[in-house]
Amino acid sequence: MNTPPIAFVIAGSEATGGAGIQVDLKTFQQLGVYGVGALSCIVAFDPNNSWGHRFHPVDPDIIAEQFEAALATHSVESMDTAKVGMLGTPQTIDTVAEKLADRSWRNLVVDPVLICKGQEPGAALDTDNALREKILPLATVVTPNVFESQTLSGMESIETVEDLEEAAKRIGEHVPYVLAKGGVELPGDDAVDVLWDGEKITRFSAPKIGEQRVSGAGCTVAAALTAELAKGTDIVEAVQRAKDLVTRGIEHRVTANTPFDTVWQGA
Ligand code: PXL
């Protein structure tokens, strides 16, 4: 018998390698976790149009088939941890919510990727609402960035770490653990992320590495957290390891022709 820790991810493909399921599976591997994955959508940036998102949903029947294959292959005992990345449309969210309910997940990490730049604002609003109503109630951990924290908490603005903590608490009325990520978005010398566990806040801080956002940092943090939880690491230690890993990955980031550098999952 050879059963390493296993984690399942449902996420989009981002062909350049800087985000989405490409990042999730690389991060799982980096942490010694066997990755199992289903595609929710395909994003192909357009190099001839400012790298704009070209977004293609995967047919709901094909999403359902992928769940069927993955869940039949790995038992509940060996695969009880999953990550949800970008879903993209209300129909996809309906299917994923339904299929996730086929298994009882010990850890379900939801990275609430809200808007894809290629989408119409109206469509994105539908998607936000569907994610909030159908996916968040299933989550054990949610990992919003500043923008997502503001949207999910309904706060007017988030300008300080204290605001971010307030947002985490508000989102935490619906989810057991909230990891709200300040990253380089908030002022100060440090990138501060906060974990709300329903009772208290724990702060995770590391010196900022430049002021530029790096593509794939959010996916990497959520995937690393998922991998650590799959291994049985407790949540505070899992967040710390995820933060350390993304910090190293940003220090050793990969430069490319795209506007943003990306995280290196080999650092
Ligand atoms: O980083 C957010 C993200 C997640 N998943 C996919 C993406 C993106 C951003 O481009 O394309 C598939």
Side-chain angles (χ1 to χ4, degrees):
M1 287 279 284
N2 185 20
T3 46
I6 299 178
F8 174 66
V9 57
I10 166 86
S13 167
E14 194 280 87
T16 72
I21 202 161
Q22 284 83 351
V23 162
D24 295 320
L25 294 175
K26 284 182 274 190
T27 305
F28 289 175
Q29 186 70 24
Q30 187 179 8
L31 290 169
V33 170
Y34 182 91
V36 175
L39 270 197
S40 54
C41 59
I42 298 172
V43 172
F45 293 156
D46 186 352
N48 298 311
N49 184 21
S50 314
W51 301 94
H53 284 50
R54 293 177 292 198
F55 170 81
H56 306 284
V58 169
D59 186 288
D61 290 342
I62 301 175
I63 295 175
E65 284 183 10
Q66 295 175 85
F67 267 84
E68 194 185 355
L71 271 57
T73 304
H74 303 287
S75 67
V76 190
E77 291 73 35
S78 55
M79 187 173 79
D80 62 8
T81 298
K83 179 195 158 181
V84 177
M86 182 171 163
L87 298 177
T89 74
Q91 292 86 329
T92 303
I93 288 171
D94 282 346
T95 306
V96 170
E98 196 182 301
K99 291 290 139 195
L100 282 172
D102 284 348
R103 176 161 294 190
S104 136
W105 301 96
R106 186 168 55 92
N107 306 295
L108 185 63
V109 177
V110 174
D111 189 12
V113 180
L114 285 186
I115 31 169
C116 176
K117 293 185 193 78
Q119 288 180 294
E120 297 295 318
L125 191 66
D126 283 1
T127 305
D128 292 4
N129 290 335
L131 191 85
R132 203 195 315 253
E133 284 164 25
K134 304 205 168 129
I135 302 290
L136 278 200
L138 304 173
T140 56
V141 193
V142 62
T143 62
N145 60 22
V146 171
F147 168 73
E148 292 153 354
S149 296
Q150 193 179 323
T151 308
L152 293 176
S153 66
M155 282 172 62
E156 295 253 303
S157 69
I158 296 179
E159 318 228 320
T160 62
V161 174
E162 288 72 22
D163 292 345
L164 191 65
E165 291 175 349
E166 176 58 28
K169 287 182 195 173
R170 291 193 194 181
I171 300 165
E173 286 166 21
H174 313 285
V175 187
Y177 296 99
V178 181
L179 176 63
K181 301 167 298 178
V184 292
E185 301 289 293
L186 299 178
D189 293 335
D190 292 336
V192 181
D193 305 328
V194 303
L195 177 71
W196 172 246
D197 65 6
E199 286 179 2
K200 64 179 184 314
I201 289 278
T202 308
R203 280 191 190 190
F204 301 85
S205 187
K208 282 182 185 169
I209 304 158
E211 288 287 337
Q212 271 282 345
R213 289 181 66 185
V214 172
S215 168
C219 298
T220 304
V221 169
L225 178 58
T226 307
E228 287 297 334
L229 294 174
K231 292 197 261 186
T233 309
D234 83 68
I235 182 98
V236 171
E237 178 62 20
V239 171
Q240 186 62 58
R241 289 187 195 175
K243 175 112 178 142
D244 293 346
L245 179 135
V246 79
T247 303
R248 280 201 312 278
I250 293 170
E251 271 163 7
H252 297 272
R253 60 181 169 264
V254 178
T255 49
N257 295 331
T258 39
F260 295 111
D261 296 344
T262 74
V263 178
W264 168 227
Q265 281 82 20

